[in-house]
Amino acid sequence: SLDIWDPFEGFSAVASVPPSARETTAFATARIDWKETPEAHIFKADLPGLKKEEVKVEVEDVNVLQISGERSKEHEEKNDKWHRVERSCGKFMRRFRLPENAKVDQVKAN
């Protein structure tokens, strides 16, 4: 079995939250930078271990940019000996309300 590091261990405020929910919540806070240049709004997301096919970028409700995806749990081989697992797995979704001047029909991701 994997030894999962629990960053919330010892905090009574989240002690009642099941570990599986905390894992999903931890990844839900994927770090994203947003800057505006004269040409574009640029979002940079820290999503280590994900392939571009596993990340979905879409515009909803006219001007809401949504970035979502899911990181699967690492496949555990019978002979593997894990010492620590700190990267979260689960679904994530971040939403950003774009300003009126955003050209939502020109959204692209790479």
Side-chain angles (χ1 to χ4, degrees):
S1 175
L2 300 178
D3 175 26
I4 299 177
W5 173 66
D6 185 356
F8 301 106
E9 186 174 5
F11 289 97
S12 61
V14 293
S16 62
V17 178
S20 60
R22 290 195 303 259
E23 289 173 15
T24 301
T25 302
F27 194 45
T29 60
R31 304 284 188 213
I32 298 179
D33 296 337
W34 174 9
K35 73 176 176 179
E36 181 176 355
T37 69
E39 297 80 29
H41 290 269
I42 300 171
F43 293 82
K44 290 186 179 182
D46 288 338
L47 304 171
L50 288 179
K51 299 176 184 145
K52 65 180 180 179
E53 300 82 24
E54 298 172 319
V55 179
K56 189 175 184 180
V57 178
E58 57 192 336
V59 177
E60 294 185 335
D61 301 329
V62 182
N63 68 336
V64 176
L65 179 73
Q66 179 173 296
I67 303 170
S68 61
E70 182 172 6
R71 177 182 291 135
S72 301
K73 200 169 197 175
E74 192 81 27
H75 180 67
E76 187 175 351
E77 296 290 331
K78 184 176 181 171
N79 295 328
D80 288 348
K81 182 178 178 182
W82 290 79
H83 293 278
R84 186 166 208 81
V85 175
E86 294 183 350
R87 295 184 311 150
S88 300
C89 60
K91 295 180 181 182
F92 73 93
M93 178 180 64
R94 296 290 308 272
R95 302 178 86 203
F96 302 90
R97 183 164 307 282
L98 300 172
E100 295 294 322
N101 68 344
K103 298 175 182 172
V104 294
D105 57 330
Q106 296 177 19
V107 169
K108 58 183 175 181
N110 58 32

